[in-house]
Amino acid sequence: MKVVGGHTADLRDLRTGTLVWAEGPSGTFTAAHRTRERALLIAGGSGIAPLRAMLEELPPGAALIYRARTPADVLLHPELDWLAQVRRTSVWYVIGSRDDPGPRQVMSPGGLRRLVPDVARRDVYLCGPAGLVDEAVRVLRRTGVPRRQIHLATFEL
């Protein structure tokens, strides 16, 4: 388990043998709350975990953009590639720092429209660090995605 905030940091204090109860995704950040047939998922770093689970629930034709600083930071790569094939999902790995021109171009209104031409007609699920999520929301709104179609989950670094 990667430590990304207070709750996950507290897990380090558990003693071996401690019983834990865990449950799957709930609340509004689930595929059950989508308003459109198709979805775009945007993940940053370990924010891929809930979106990876959501891929199994979404109809075929979803799209996933996964932001990471380096190739070594990409989690679940083989599993995502397999799911993409099985679920007919488009997956783009956008690698580089937030200042690199490539990722900046992809994560712009024009860049998103090139990858996902019908982006404004999809539900968009965002999960990752607050900076990525905040910037993606600004870009999505400028791209014409209505606020009601944007679903968020942020985490601390």
Side-chain angles (χ1 to χ4, degrees), residues 129-151:
L132 175 123
V133 170
D134 293 344
E135 180 59 25
V137 168
R138 281 191 287 279
V139 170
L140 289 163
R141 295 292 292 132
R142 288 182 20 226
T143 307
V145 179
R147 196 172 303 280
R148 71 184 171 279
Q149 291 170 217
I150 301 173
H151 311 277

mmCIF file with all atom_site columns, all heavy atoms in Angstrom, residues 129-151:
data_model
loop_
_atom_site.group_PDB
_atom_site.id
_atom_site.type_symbol
_atom_site.label_atom_id
_atom_site.label_alt_id
_atom_site.label_comp_id
_atom_site.label_asym_id
_atom_site.label_entity_id
_atom_site.label_seq_id
_atom_site.pdbx_PDB_ins_code
_atom_site.Cartn_x
_atom_site.Cartn_y
_atom_site.Cartn_z
_atom_site.occupancy
_atom_site.B_iso_or_equiv
_atom_site.pdbx_formal_charge
_atom_site.auth_seq_id
_atom_site.auth_comp_id
_atom_site.auth_asym_id
_atom_site.auth_atom_id
_atom_site.pdbx_PDB_model_num
ATOM 1   N N   . PRO A 1 129 ? -3.546  13.396 -7.573  1.00 0.00 ? 129 PRO A N   1
ATOM 2   C CA  . PRO A 1 129 ? -3.180  14.511 -6.706  1.00 0.00 ? 129 PRO A CA  1
ATOM 3   C C   . PRO A 1 129 ? -4.045  15.736 -7.003  1.00 0.00 ? 129 PRO A C   1
ATOM 4   O O   . PRO A 1 129 ? -4.488  15.944 -8.149  1.00 0.00 ? 129 PRO A O   1
ATOM 5   C CB  . PRO A 1 129 ? -1.718  14.786 -7.053  1.00 0.00 ? 129 PRO A CB  1
ATOM 6   C CG  . PRO A 1 129 ? -1.264  13.669 -7.902  1.00 0.00 ? 129 PRO A CG  1
ATOM 7   C CD  . PRO A 1 129 ? -2.463  12.974 -8.448  1.00 0.00 ? 129 PRO A CD  1
ATOM 8   N N   . ALA A 1 130 ? -4.256  16.547 -5.990  1.00 0.00 ? 130 ALA A N   1
ATOM 9   C CA  . ALA A 1 130 ? -5.133  17.716 -6.110  1.00 0.00 ? 130 ALA A CA  1
ATOM 10  C C   . ALA A 1 130 ? -4.739  18.621 -7.275  1.00 0.00 ? 130 ALA A C   1
ATOM 11  O O   . ALA A 1 130 ? -5.608  19.111 -8.004  1.00 0.00 ? 130 ALA A O   1
ATOM 12  C CB  . ALA A 1 130 ? -5.144  18.497 -4.798  1.00 0.00 ? 130 ALA A CB  1
ATOM 13  N N   . GLY A 1 131 ? -3.452  18.845 -7.489  1.00 0.00 ? 131 GLY A N   1
ATOM 14  C CA  . GLY A 1 131 ? -3.014  19.719 -8.580  1.00 0.00 ? 131 GLY A CA  1
ATOM 15  C C   . GLY A 1 131 ? -3.443  19.207 -9.939  1.00 0.00 ? 131 GLY A C   1
ATOM 16  O O   . GLY A 1 131 ? -3.944  19.962 -10.777 1.00 0.00 ? 131 GLY A O   1
ATOM 17  N N   . LEU A 1 132 ? -3.281  17.920 -10.168 1.00 0.00 ? 132 LEU A N   1
ATOM 18  C CA  . LEU A 1 132 ? -3.695  17.329 -11.440 1.00 0.00 ? 132 LEU A CA  1
ATOM 19  C C   . LEU A 1 132 ? -5.206  17.414 -11.599 1.00 0.00 ? 132 LEU A C   1
ATOM 20  O O   . LEU A 1 132 ? -5.707  17.796 -12.661 1.00 0.00 ? 132 LEU A O   1
ATOM 21  C CB  . LEU A 1 132 ? -3.252  15.869 -11.534 1.00 0.00 ? 132 LEU A CB  1
ATOM 22  C CG  . LEU A 1 132 ? -3.766  15.163 -12.786 1.00 0.00 ? 132 LEU A CG  1
ATOM 23  C CD1 . LEU A 1 132 ? -2.619  14.604 -13.597 1.00 0.00 ? 132 LEU A CD1 1
ATOM 24  C CD2 . LEU A 1 132 ? -4.745  14.080 -12.448 1.00 0.00 ? 132 LEU A CD2 1
ATOM 25  N N   . VAL A 1 133 ? -5.938  17.079 -10.557 1.00 0.00 ? 133 VAL A N   1
ATOM 26  C CA  . VAL A 1 133 ? -7.395  17.089 -10.622 1.00 0.00 ? 133 VAL A CA  1
ATOM 27  C C   . VAL A 1 133 ? -7.903  18.506 -10.864 1.00 0.00 ? 133 VAL A C   1
ATOM 28  O O   . VAL A 1 133 ? -8.752  18.738 -11.728 1.00 0.00 ? 133 VAL A O   1
ATOM 29  C CB  . VAL A 1 133 ? -8.005  16.467 -9.344  1.00 0.00 ? 133 VAL A CB  1
ATOM 30  C CG1 . VAL A 1 133 ? -9.503  16.696 -9.274  1.00 0.00 ? 133 VAL A CG1 1
ATOM 31  C CG2 . VAL A 1 133 ? -7.686  14.970 -9.283  1.00 0.00 ? 133 VAL A CG2 1
ATOM 32  N N   . ASP A 1 134 ? -7.382  19.480 -10.130 1.00 0.00 ? 134 ASP A N   1
ATOM 33  C CA  . ASP A 1 134 ? -7.824  20.873 -10.297 1.00 0.00 ? 134 ASP A CA  1
ATOM 34  C C   . ASP A 1 134 ? -7.562  21.382 -11.708 1.00 0.00 ? 134 ASP A C   1
ATOM 35  O O   . ASP A 1 134 ? -8.424  22.003 -12.326 1.00 0.00 ? 134 ASP A O   1
ATOM 36  C CB  . ASP A 1 134 ? -7.134  21.788 -9.278  1.00 0.00 ? 134 ASP A CB  1
ATOM 37  C CG  . ASP A 1 134 ? -7.559  21.516 -7.849  1.00 0.00 ? 134 ASP A CG  1
ATOM 38  O OD1 . ASP A 1 134 ? -8.584  20.841 -7.643  1.00 0.00 ? 134 ASP A OD1 1
ATOM 39  O OD2 . ASP A 1 134 ? -6.848  21.982 -6.934  1.00 0.00 ? 134 ASP A OD2 1
ATOM 40  N N   . GLU A 1 135 ? -6.368  21.114 -12.219 1.00 0.00 ? 135 GLU A N   1
ATOM 41  C CA  . GLU A 1 135 ? -6.028  21.578 -13.565 1.00 0.00 ? 135 GLU A CA  1
ATOM 42  C C   . GLU A 1 135 ? -6.873  20.855 -14.614 1.00 0.00 ? 135 GLU A C   1
ATOM 43  O O   . GLU A 1 135 ? -7.348  21.466 -15.577 1.00 0.00 ? 135 GLU A O   1
ATOM 44  C CB  . GLU A 1 135 ? -4.542  21.378 -13.854 1.00 0.00 ? 135 GLU A CB  1
ATOM 45  C CG  . GLU A 1 135 ? -4.109  21.847 -15.231 1.00 0.00 ? 135 GLU A CG  1
ATOM 46  C CD  . GLU A 1 135 ? -4.381  23.326 -15.499 1.00 0.00 ? 135 GLU A CD  1
ATOM 47  O OE1 . GLU A 1 135 ? -4.456  24.125 -14.543 1.00 0.00 ? 135 GLU A OE1 1
ATOM 48  O OE2 . GLU A 1 135 ? -4.528  23.681 -16.681 1.00 0.00 ? 135 GLU A OE2 1
ATOM 49  N N   . ALA A 1 136 ? -7.092  19.565 -14.437 1.00 0.00 ? 136 ALA A N   1
ATOM 50  C CA  . ALA A 1 136 ? -7.907  18.812 -15.391 1.00 0.00 ? 136 ALA A CA  1
ATOM 51  C C   . ALA A 1 136 ? -9.344  19.336 -15.415 1.00 0.00 ? 136 ALA A C   1
ATOM 52  O O   . ALA A 1 136 ? -9.948  19.440 -16.481 1.00 0.00 ? 136 ALA A O   1
ATOM 53  C CB  . ALA A 1 136 ? -7.880  17.322 -15.054 1.00 0.00 ? 136 ALA A CB  1
ATOM 54  N N   . VAL A 1 137 ? -9.882  19.693 -14.259 1.00 0.00 ? 137 VAL A N   1
ATOM 55  C CA  . VAL A 1 137 ? -11.241 20.247 -14.216 1.00 0.00 ? 137 VAL A CA  1
ATOM 56  C C   . VAL A 1 137 ? -11.295 21.551 -15.004 1.00 0.00 ? 137 VAL A C   1
ATOM 57  O O   . VAL A 1 137 ? -12.220 21.772 -15.798 1.00 0.00 ? 137 VAL A O   1
ATOM 58  C CB  . VAL A 1 137 ? -11.722 20.455 -12.765 1.00 0.00 ? 137 VAL A CB  1
ATOM 59  C CG1 . VAL A 1 137 ? -12.993 21.302 -12.721 1.00 0.00 ? 137 VAL A CG1 1
ATOM 60  C CG2 . VAL A 1 137 ? -11.952 19.117 -12.082 1.00 0.00 ? 137 VAL A CG2 1
ATOM 61  N N   . ARG A 1 138 ? -10.301 22.424 -14.820 1.00 0.00 ? 138 ARG A N   1
ATOM 62  C CA  . ARG A 1 138 ? -10.274 23.690 -15.568 1.00 0.00 ? 138 ARG A CA  1
ATOM 63  C C   . ARG A 1 138 ? -10.245 23.425 -17.075 1.00 0.00 ? 138 ARG A C   1
ATOM 64  O O   . ARG A 1 138 ? -10.976 24.045 -17.848 1.00 0.00 ? 138 ARG A O   1
ATOM 65  C CB  . ARG A 1 138 ? -9.063  24.534 -15.155 1.00 0.00 ? 138 ARG A CB  1
ATOM 66  C CG  . ARG A 1 138 ? -9.262  25.276 -13.851 1.00 0.00 ? 138 ARG A CG  1
ATOM 67  C CD  . ARG A 1 138 ? -8.160  26.299 -13.602 1.00 0.00 ? 138 ARG A CD  1
ATOM 68  N NE  . ARG A 1 138 ? -6.888  25.702 -13.233 1.00 0.00 ? 138 ARG A NE  1
ATOM 69  C CZ  . ARG A 1 138 ? -6.565  25.277 -12.024 1.00 0.00 ? 138 ARG A CZ  1
ATOM 70  N NH1 . ARG A 1 138 ? -7.434  25.370 -11.041 1.00 0.00 ? 138 ARG A NH1 1
ATOM 71  N NH2 . ARG A 1 138 ? -5.393  24.746 -11.783 1.00 0.00 ? 138 ARG A NH2 1
ATOM 72  N N   . VAL A 1 139 ? -9.398  22.487 -17.490 1.00 0.00 ? 139 VAL A N   1
ATOM 73  C CA  . VAL A 1 139 ? -9.285  22.168 -18.916 1.00 0.00 ? 139 VAL A CA  1
ATOM 74  C C   . VAL A 1 139 ? -10.587 21.545 -19.432 1.00 0.00 ? 139 VAL A C   1
ATOM 75  O O   . VAL A 1 139 ? -11.066 21.901 -20.516 1.00 0.00 ? 139 VAL A O   1
ATOM 76  C CB  . VAL A 1 139 ? -8.079  21.237 -19.174 1.00 0.00 ? 139 VAL A CB  1
ATOM 77  C CG1 . VAL A 1 139 ? -8.085  20.695 -20.590 1.00 0.00 ? 139 VAL A CG1 1
ATOM 78  C CG2 . VAL A 1 139 ? -6.774  21.977 -18.890 1.00 0.00 ? 139 VAL A CG2 1
ATOM 79  N N   . LEU A 1 140 ? -11.170 20.641 -18.676 1.00 0.00 ? 140 LEU A N   1
ATOM 80  C CA  . LEU A 1 140 ? -12.421 20.007 -19.095 1.00 0.00 ? 140 LEU A CA  1
ATOM 81  C C   . LEU A 1 140 ? -13.534 21.031 -19.252 1.00 0.00 ? 140 LEU A C   1
ATOM 82  O O   . LEU A 1 140 ? -14.310 20.974 -20.217 1.00 0.00 ? 140 LEU A O   1
ATOM 83  C CB  . LEU A 1 140 ? -12.833 18.921 -18.104 1.00 0.00 ? 140 LEU A CB  1
ATOM 84  C CG  . LEU A 1 140 ? -11.965 17.670 -18.123 1.00 0.00 ? 140 LEU A CG  1
ATOM 85  C CD1 . LEU A 1 140 ? -12.192 16.855 -16.860 1.00 0.00 ? 140 LEU A CD1 1
ATOM 86  C CD2 . LEU A 1 140 ? -12.238 16.838 -19.368 1.00 0.00 ? 140 LEU A CD2 1
ATOM 87  N N   . ARG A 1 141 ? -13.629 21.966 -18.332 1.00 0.00 ? 141 ARG A N   1
ATOM 88  C CA  . ARG A 1 141 ? -14.667 22.998 -18.427 1.00 0.00 ? 141 ARG A CA  1
ATOM 89  C C   . ARG A 1 141 ? -14.445 23.851 -19.675 1.00 0.00 ? 141 ARG A C   1
ATOM 90  O O   . ARG A 1 141 ? -15.397 24.185 -20.379 1.00 0.00 ? 141 ARG A O   1
ATOM 91  C CB  . ARG A 1 141 ? -14.683 23.857 -17.159 1.00 0.00 ? 141 ARG A CB  1
ATOM 92  C CG  . ARG A 1 141 ? -15.074 23.093 -15.893 1.00 0.00 ? 141 ARG A CG  1
ATOM 93  C CD  . ARG A 1 141 ? -16.516 22.629 -15.878 1.00 0.00 ? 141 ARG A CD  1
ATOM 94  N NE  . ARG A 1 141 ? -17.362 23.807 -15.795 1.00 0.00 ? 141 ARG A NE  1
ATOM 95  C CZ  . ARG A 1 141 ? -18.410 24.044 -16.557 1.00 0.00 ? 141 ARG A CZ  1
ATOM 96  N NH1 . ARG A 1 141 ? -18.801 23.163 -17.450 1.00 0.00 ? 141 ARG A NH1 1
ATOM 97  N NH2 . ARG A 1 141 ? -19.098 25.141 -16.425 1.00 0.00 ? 141 ARG A NH2 1
ATOM 98  N N   . ARG A 1 142 ? -13.173 24.186 -19.968 1.00 0.00 ? 142 ARG A N   1
ATOM 99  C CA  . ARG A 1 142 ? -12.869 24.964 -21.181 1.00 0.00 ? 142 ARG A CA  1
ATOM 100 C C   . ARG A 1 142 ? -13.135 24.143 -22.441 1.00 0.00 ? 142 ARG A C   1
ATOM 101 O O   . ARG A 1 142 ? -13.362 24.705 -23.511 1.00 0.00 ? 142 ARG A O   1
ATOM 102 C CB  . ARG A 1 142 ? -11.417 25.437 -21.156 1.00 0.00 ? 142 ARG A CB  1
ATOM 103 C CG  . ARG A 1 142 ? -11.191 26.539 -20.135 1.00 0.00 ? 142 ARG A CG  1
ATOM 104 C CD  . ARG A 1 142 ? -9.789  27.112 -20.078 1.00 0.00 ? 142 ARG A CD  1
ATOM 105 N NE  . ARG A 1 142 ? -8.934  26.921 -21.205 1.00 0.00 ? 142 ARG A NE  1
ATOM 106 C CZ  . ARG A 1 142 ? -7.666  26.526 -21.132 1.00 0.00 ? 142 ARG A CZ  1
ATOM 107 N NH1 . ARG A 1 142 ? -7.112  26.272 -19.967 1.00 0.00 ? 142 ARG A NH1 1
ATOM 108 N NH2 . ARG A 1 142 ? -6.944  26.388 -22.218 1.00 0.00 ? 142 ARG A NH2 1
ATOM 109 N N   . THR A 1 143 ? -13.133 22.821 -22.307 1.00 0.00 ? 143 THR A N   1
ATOM 110 C CA  . THR A 1 143 ? -13.390 21.921 -23.431 1.00 0.00 ? 143 THR A CA  1
ATOM 111 C C   . THR A 1 143 ? -14.896 21.743 -23.656 1.00 0.00 ? 143 THR A C   1
ATOM 112 O O   . THR A 1 143 ? -15.301 21.170 -24.653 1.00 0.00 ? 143 THR A O   1
ATOM 113 C CB  . THR A 1 143 ? -12.705 20.563 -23.179 1.00 0.00 ? 143 THR A CB  1
ATOM 114 O OG1 . THR A 1 143 ? -11.333 20.792 -22.880 1.00 0.00 ? 143 THR A OG1 1
ATOM 115 C CG2 . THR A 1 143 ? -12.759 19.640 -24.376 1.00 0.00 ? 143 THR A CG2 1
ATOM 116 N N   . GLY A 1 144 ? -15.702 22.211 -22.717 1.00 0.00 ? 144 GLY A N   1
ATOM 117 C CA  . GLY A 1 144 ? -17.155 22.124 -22.865 1.00 0.00 ? 144 GLY A CA  1
ATOM 118 C C   . GLY A 1 144 ? -17.818 21.009 -22.087 1.00 0.00 ? 144 GLY A C   1
ATOM 119 O O   . GLY A 1 144 ? -19.000 20.737 -22.280 1.00 0.00 ? 144 GLY A O   1
ATOM 120 N N   . VAL A 1 145 ? -17.086 20.361 -21.186 1.00 0.00 ? 145 VAL A N   1
ATOM 121 C CA  . VAL A 1 145 ? -17.679 19.296 -20.376 1.00 0.00 ? 145 VAL A CA  1
ATOM 122 C C   . VAL A 1 145 ? -18.490 19.947 -19.247 1.00 0.00 ? 145 VAL A C   1
ATOM 123 O O   . VAL A 1 145 ? -17.944 20.710 -18.453 1.00 0.00 ? 145 VAL A O   1
ATOM 124 C CB  . VAL A 1 145 ? -16.602 18.363 -19.776 1.00 0.00 ? 145 VAL A CB  1
ATOM 125 C CG1 . VAL A 1 145 ? -17.249 17.289 -18.909 1.00 0.00 ? 145 VAL A CG1 1
ATOM 126 C CG2 . VAL A 1 145 ? -15.754 17.739 -20.877 1.00 0.00 ? 145 VAL A CG2 1
ATOM 127 N N   . PRO A 1 146 ? -19.796 19.669 -19.170 1.00 0.00 ? 146 PRO A N   1
ATOM 128 C CA  . PRO A 1 146 ? -20.606 20.231 -18.089 1.00 0.00 ? 146 PRO A CA  1
ATOM 129 C C   . PRO A 1 146 ? -20.128 19.724 -16.722 1.00 0.00 ? 146 PRO A C   1
ATOM 130 O O   . PRO A 1 146 ? -19.697 18.582 -16.580 1.00 0.00 ? 146 PRO A O   1
ATOM 131 C CB  . PRO A 1 146 ? -22.018 19.711 -18.388 1.00 0.00 ? 146 PRO A CB  1
ATOM 132 C CG  . PRO A 1 146 ? -22.007 19.365 -19.845 1.00 0.00 ? 146 PRO A CG  1
ATOM 133 C CD  . PRO A 1 146 ? -20.596 18.905 -20.115 1.00 0.00 ? 146 PRO A CD  1
ATOM 134 N N   . ARG A 1 147 ? -20.238 20.579 -15.736 1.00 0.00 ? 147 ARG A N   1
ATOM 135 C CA  . ARG A 1 147 ? -19.780 20.253 -14.380 1.00 0.00 ? 147 ARG A CA  1
ATOM 136 C C   . ARG A 1 147 ? -20.438 18.968 -13.858 1.00 0.00 ? 147 ARG A C   1
ATOM 137 O O   . ARG A 1 147 ? -19.801 18.168 -13.184 1.00 0.00 ? 147 ARG A O   1
ATOM 138 C CB  . ARG A 1 147 ? -20.077 21.430 -13.451 1.00 0.00 ? 147 ARG A CB  1
ATOM 139 C CG  . ARG A 1 147 ? -19.336 21.392 -12.152 1.00 0.00 ? 147 ARG A CG  1
ATOM 140 C CD  . ARG A 1 147 ? -19.495 22.657 -11.344 1.00 0.00 ? 147 ARG A CD  1
ATOM 141 N NE  . ARG A 1 147 ? -19.079 23.865 -12.030 1.00 0.00 ? 147 ARG A NE  1
ATOM 142 C CZ  . ARG A 1 147 ? -17.819 24.296 -12.161 1.00 0.00 ? 147 ARG A CZ  1
ATOM 143 N NH1 . ARG A 1 147 ? -16.846 23.569 -11.656 1.00 0.00 ? 147 ARG A NH1 1
ATOM 144 N NH2 . ARG A 1 147 ? -17.541 25.405 -12.779 1.00 0.00 ? 147 ARG A NH2 1
ATOM 145 N N   . ARG A 1 148 ? -21.706 18.742 -14.176 1.00 0.00 ? 148 ARG A N   1
ATOM 146 C CA  . ARG A 1 148 ? -22.419 17.560 -13.663 1.00 0.00 ? 148 ARG A CA  1
ATOM 147 C C   . ARG A 1 148 ? -21.859 16.247 -14.204 1.00 0.00 ? 148 ARG A C   1
ATOM 148 O O   . ARG A 1 148 ? -22.154 15.178 -13.690 1.00 0.00 ? 148 ARG A O   1
ATOM 149 C CB  . ARG A 1 148 ? -23.913 17.674 -13.959 1.00 0.00 ? 148 ARG A CB  1
ATOM 150 C CG  . ARG A 1 148 ? -24.271 17.520 -15.420 1.00 0.00 ? 148 ARG A CG  1
ATOM 151 C CD  . ARG A 1 148 ? -25.760 17.722 -15.703 1.00 0.00 ? 148 ARG A CD  1
ATOM 152 N NE  . ARG A 1 148 ? -26.022 17.767 -17.123 1.00 0.00 ? 148 ARG A NE  1
ATOM 153 C CZ  . ARG A 1 148 ? -25.857 18.829 -17.898 1.00 0.00 ? 148 ARG A CZ  1
ATOM 154 N NH1 . ARG A 1 148 ? -25.438 19.961 -17.356 1.00 0.00 ? 148 ARG A NH1 1
ATOM 155 N NH2 . ARG A 1 148 ? -26.105 18.771 -19.190 1.00 0.00 ? 148 ARG A NH2 1
ATOM 156 N N   . GLN A 1 149 ? -21.055 16.319 -15.272 1.00 0.00 ? 149 GLN A N   1
ATOM 157 C CA  . GLN A 1 149 ? -20.460 15.114 -15.855 1.00 0.00 ? 149 GLN A CA  1
ATOM 158 C C   . GLN A 1 149 ? -19.048 14.860 -15.336 1.00 0.00 ? 149 GLN A C   1
ATOM 159 O O   . GLN A 1 149 ? -18.398 13.914 -15.756 1.00 0.00 ? 149 GLN A O   1
ATOM 160 C CB  . GLN A 1 149 ? -20.414 15.239 -17.387 1.00 0.00 ? 149 GLN A CB  1
ATOM 161 C CG  . GLN A 1 149 ? -21.777 15.187 -18.029 1.00 0.00 ? 149 GLN A CG  1
ATOM 162 C CD  . GLN A 1 149 ? -21.747 15.553 -19.493 1.00 0.00 ? 149 GLN A CD  1
ATOM 163 O OE1 . GLN A 1 149 ? -22.671 16.192 -19.972 1.00 0.00 ? 149 GLN A OE1 1
ATOM 164 N NE2 . GLN A 1 149 ? -20.703 15.184 -20.210 1.00 0.00 ? 149 GLN A NE2 1
ATOM 165 N N   . ILE A 1 150 ? -18.567 15.697 -14.411 1.00 0.00 ? 150 ILE A N   1
ATOM 166 C CA  . ILE A 1 150 ? -17.213 15.550 -13.882 1.00 0.00 ? 150 ILE A CA  1
ATOM 167 C C   . ILE A 1 150 ? -17.300 14.991 -12.463 1.00 0.00 ? 150 ILE A C   1
ATOM 168 O O   . ILE A 1 150 ? -17.938 15.583 -11.591 1.00 0.00 ? 150 ILE A O   1
ATOM 169 C CB  . ILE A 1 150 ? -16.456 16.896 -13.902 1.00 0.00 ? 150 ILE A CB  1
ATOM 170 C CG1 . ILE A 1 150 ? -16.379 17.435 -15.335 1.00 0.00 ? 150 ILE A CG1 1
ATOM 171 C CG2 . ILE A 1 150 ? -15.066 16.737 -13.294 1.00 0.00 ? 150 ILE A CG2 1
ATOM 172 C CD1 . ILE A 1 150 ? -15.791 18.843 -15.438 1.00 0.00 ? 150 ILE A CD1 1
ATOM 173 N N   . HIS A 1 151 ? -16.664 13.861 -12.246 1.00 0.00 ? 151 HIS A N   1
ATOM 174 C CA  . HIS A 1 151 ? -16.674 13.173 -10.945 1.00 0.00 ? 151 HIS A CA  1
ATOM 175 C C   . HIS A 1 151 ? -15.243 13.149 -10.413 1.00 0.00 ? 151 HIS A C   1
ATOM 176 O O   . HIS A 1 151 ? -14.325 12.739 -11.133 1.00 0.00 ? 151 HIS A O   1
ATOM 177 C CB  . HIS A 1 151 ? -17.214 11.748 -11.118 1.00 0.00 ? 151 HIS A CB  1
ATOM 178 C CG  . HIS A 1 151 ? -18.486 11.696 -11.897 1.00 0.00 ? 151 HIS A CG  1
ATOM 179 N ND1 . HIS A 1 151 ? -19.719 11.911 -11.345 1.00 0.00 ? 151 HIS A ND1 1
ATOM 180 C CD2 . HIS A 1 151 ? -18.703 11.483 -13.238 1.00 0.00 ? 151 HIS A CD2 1
ATOM 181 C CE1 . HIS A 1 151 ? -20.650 11.815 -12.280 1.00 0.00 ? 151 HIS A CE1 1
ATOM 182 N NE2 . HIS A 1 151 ? -20.055 11.557 -13.437 1.00 0.00 ? 151 HIS A NE2 1
#
